[in-house]
Amino acid sequence: KWYGQFHVLKDINLRVKQGERIVLCGPSGSGKSTTIRCINHLEEHQQGRIIVDGIELNEDIRNIERVRQEVGMVFQHFNLFPHLTVLHYLESVRIAEHAHKFPGQISGGQQQRVAIARSLCMKPKIMLFDEPTSALDPEMVKEVLDTMIGLAQSGMTMLCGTHEMGFARTV
């Protein structure tokens, strides 16, 4: 993967088995987010092959759609719809009491847990997390990490790009 002349991803060989929890660690600009975004084809790779559950990601939109149906994605900045309430898998992320609130009425940590719940609704085979705590205040990080730890303990296959070394050690 290149951005102009900058070769951001090279010599990557990653195989994630069902039930594994893989954490990508590294400094900003090292390719963590780009790797995760390529796996869901939110970024297009220029060379090599990406195969998810036997489906190769290429120009074929049908393959991209099939992969996206099986891959949950939690972004750095929540990406919630501001006009929709948070009715999702809220019990599993421990915020059911906020079911009728809009994103602007809940904290950043709660918004990120709603984003996790949104991804769980599709019953994904794997969850991708792109720096899920980097946009949060320090006091909100723990509630999101606790949710992710619970998800890992349930056996969910996870790939997470993060700076949170404590989380990496725990999972």
Side-chain angles (χ1 to χ4, degrees), residues 7-82:
H7 195 180
V8 67
L9 298 180
K10 57 184 167 187
D11 300 325
I12 305 281
N13 187 349
L14 174 66
R15 190 176 304 256
V16 181
K17 297 178 185 155
Q18 184 176 355
E20 281 189 312
R21 278 105 33 216
I22 307 283
V23 177
L24 303 176
C25 295
S28 295
S30 64
K32 299 181 302 293
S33 293
T34 302
T35 299
I36 288 170
R37 293 174 64 82
C38 282
I39 291 170
N40 210 9
H41 206 73
L42 296 173
E43 293 279 349
E44 191 173 335
H45 62 287
Q46 287 91 7
Q47 280 187 341
R49 298 173 69 199
I50 299 175
I51 301 171
V52 179
D53 201 24
I55 303 166
E56 183 166 2
L57 284 171
N58 49 32
E59 307 82 38
D60 189 337
I61 193 71
R62 292 171 299 184
N63 286 358
I64 296 167
E65 288 171 354
R66 285 174 53 208
V67 166
R68 287 183 180 162
Q69 288 173 1
E70 298 182 354
V71 177
M73 180 83 183
V74 178
F75 299 89
Q76 207 169 29
H77 297 286
F78 326 133
N79 293 354
L80 299 177
F81 295 111

